[in-house]
């Protein structure tokens, strides 16, 4: 496999993630093409000044591509991979950056022999979506998970790692199954709690608007993830159902134990102190990781 | 009732809330005493230079007090009120700033006739506790809920409002029952979700430390409240059980509806879009409130 500097890269899906990836990759690959179906997105993409070519369809640039980076929501990635099942051109590498990996690597397993597939998931983002919010530093310091298939070439795992490092991220290789199980706890469960809390407060506030006077920074932070793009999140949750259910079952057990202790302040205190210590450990671990 | 400038104020409990209140009240009342049982806390309190006198027990300064402000955790406030049941001195006003109100106003209802009681709850705080983190601006811009009893004098409600405004907060008067029902949703439920999520991640991370590589800002924000003081939180939760259970039941219904839609992306999307809209409405409402 050639090095990143010799690679012609095409990014499909020029939202926050795809757009930021392009800004970060600028000048580090042989050619950089962008593909997006939305006229306005392409207009903004051209204005970024980092693409060799910006096209409405993948077909227009596929022949000039060595590495295809799929940066759309998960279901669109699966559909794009299905579209490559009858690919008959020269060798092609495909890396996706979708947020769940099991369905995507299953679709990659169906690709023809000359298409080399690698799953990827950069652990970054921000509250605002779309190419208008893209920034070159988005990937800096983030973990960039790579989930190879049994058939993935070592060369493509190397190129994926090189790409992750090139945008300032830390590549971490694990199986798709393990990735999906872990992000169900670290990302999907927090989102579900935030979204259900947001809906609960909305219903209570509709009946008694005194609620809005008594909500402050704690509520704001705990519900922040509820502001995530529902299309992206619906794709993520529906493609990671069993891991999400397992994470939720665990969280409910912990919560039920707290609720069972509402009559026993000392026992409740012990459990809350454990939660506090766990949160402080997490903070310390993050600081150590960033040091 | 005299004005704040003519009032001798004693704050019992010199933690983050009591210490910050003292810094904000400095120069705005006739006399400002502080009471705390912990030697080191009193040493720091004296160093703030805002107290007329800092004492280890309330008895030492009670005779020089017109308005007693109880700023300890909830159960300690209830115990302090019980200690005032045989109070036989001159007229005394009592305001507390505990985070739940029903048990406190019930204890205030038992006070002798010359003790005028008023519940209070300033909706502010920060992640770090203790007088070492006290700051004069902590109450600025916050809602300061006042929960009068039927027997509370109009003069004390006025003095409580004056005190709230004097520290930069916005006084809002409501019943203790309504306050407790609303903060169960805006504050206690978010805390329980954060704490149970923190415990869940800790258990999963102990079995697979790959979890820590894939936790990022979403997890951090959603679990932030888990870092709250377990003594304070155990008091809050055990003194607001029925409202906490009702809030939790609502949140579980919303969550169960999401989980039931994991097989139906379109239906799930509709609910997630509703959660996103609710969160955006909340942001807009907060911005309008702060404008």
């Amino acid at each position: 496999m050639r090095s990143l500097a010799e690679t012609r890269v095409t990014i499909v899906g020029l939202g926050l993630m795809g757009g930021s990836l392009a800004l970060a990759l600028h000048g580090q690959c042989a050619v950089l093409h962008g593909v997006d179906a939305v006229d306005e997105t392409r207009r903004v993409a051209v204005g970024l000044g980092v693409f060799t070519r910006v096209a409405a369809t993948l077909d227009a640039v596929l022949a000039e591509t060595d590495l295809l980076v799929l940066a759309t929501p998960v279901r669109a990635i699966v559909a794009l991979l299905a579209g490559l099942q009858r690919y008959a051109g020269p060798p092609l590498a495909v890396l996706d950056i979708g947020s769940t990996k099991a369905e995507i690597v299953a679709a990659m397993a169906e690709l023809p022999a000359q298409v080399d597939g690698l799953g990827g998931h950069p652990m970054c983002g921000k509250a605002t979506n779309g190419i208008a919010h893209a920034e070159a530093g988005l990937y800096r310091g983030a973990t960039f998970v790579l989930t190879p298939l049994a058939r993935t070439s070592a060369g493509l795992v190397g190129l994926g790692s090189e790409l992750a490092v090139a945008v300032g991220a830390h590549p971490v290789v694990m199986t798709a199954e393990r990735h999906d199980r872990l992000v169900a706890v670290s990302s999907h469960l927090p989102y579900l709690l935030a979204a259900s809390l947001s809906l609960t407060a909305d219903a209570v506030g509709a009946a008694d608007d005194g609620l809005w006077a008594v909500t402050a920074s704690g509520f704001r932070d705990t519900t922040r993830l509820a502001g995530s793009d529902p299309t992206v999140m619906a794709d993520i949750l529906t493609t990671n159902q069993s891991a999400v259910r397992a994470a939720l079952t665990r969280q409910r057990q912990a919560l039920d134990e707290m609720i069972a202790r509402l009559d026993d302040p000392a026992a409740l205190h012990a459990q809350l102190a454990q939660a506090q210590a766990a949160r402080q450990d997490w903070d310390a671990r993050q600081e150590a990781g960033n040091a």
Side-chain angles (χ1 to χ4, degrees), chain A residues 6-272:
Chain A
E6 301 162 320
T7 301
R8 294 171 300 169
V9 176
T10 294
I11 301 173
V12 182
L14 303 177
L16 174 70
M17 299 300 290
S20 297
L21 189 70
L23 287 170
L25 280 178
H26 179 53
Q28 302 196 75
C29 36
V31 162
L32 186 58
H33 294 315
V35 175
D36 202 287
V38 179
D39 293 349
E40 171 62 13
T41 301
R42 286 200 307 282
R43 200 188 59 74
V44 177
V46 168
L48 294 180
V50 299
F51 291 107
T52 312
R53 211 172 137 194
V54 176
T57 65
L58 176 55
D59 288 345
V61 291
L62 191 54
E64 302 160 30
T65 302
D66 302 310
L67 174 65
L68 192 57
V69 180
L70 306 180
T72 64
V74 173
R75 287 193 185 280
I77 291 171
V78 172
L80 283 160
L81 291 169
L84 289 171
Q85 277 187 25
R86 275 169 298 183
Y87 176 81
L92 177 70
V94 181
L95 168 70
D96 84 285
I97 58 167
S99 301
T100 59
K101 302 271 54 94
E103 291 204 15
I104 287 170
V105 299
M108 285 178 172
E110 303 300 315
L111 292 171
Q114 78 272 36
V115 185
D116 197 3
L118 172 64
H121 181 203
M123 309 294 301
C124 55
K126 52 182 185 174
T128 46
N129 294 302
I131 192 164
H133 301 282
E135 48 183 86
L138 188 70
Y139 291 73
R140 206 168 292 145
T143 294
F144 198 129
V145 176
L146 297 172
T147 63
L149 292 74
R151 54 172 271 187
T152 305
S153 72
L156 180 53
V157 176
L159 181 64
S161 299
E162 191 188 348
L163 180 144
V165 171
V167 298
H170 309 298
V172 173
V173 177
M174 62 176 73
T175 66
E177 181 280 331
R178 184 178 173 206
H179 167 274
D180 285 4
R181 186 164 41 76
L182 294 177
V183 294
V185 174
S186 67
S187 170
H188 310 167
L189 179 58
Y191 169 76
L192 281 167
L193 298 179
S196 56
L197 179 57
S198 174
L199 285 174
T200 301
D202 197 53
V204 171
D208 183 345
D209 67 2
L211 182 70
W212 311 123
V214 299
T215 55
S217 61
F219 180 84
R220 181 192 64 215
D221 287 357
T222 315
T223 55
R224 183 176 69 77
L225 287 179
S228 306
D229 184 326
T231 301
V232 170
M233 292 312 304
D235 273 17
I236 288 173
L237 295 169
T238 58
T239 56
N240 199 23
Q241 295 186 33
S242 66
V244 165
R245 286 180 209 273
L248 188 61
T249 299
R250 271 179 174 276
Q251 182 266 336
R252 286 198 163 171
Q253 279 166 357
L255 183 55
D256 287 344
E257 276 176 41
M258 286 179 195
I259 299 300
R261 292 173 178 191
L262 284 180
D263 283 323
D264 184 347
L268 180 62
H269 181 277
Q271 201 189 12
L272 303 186

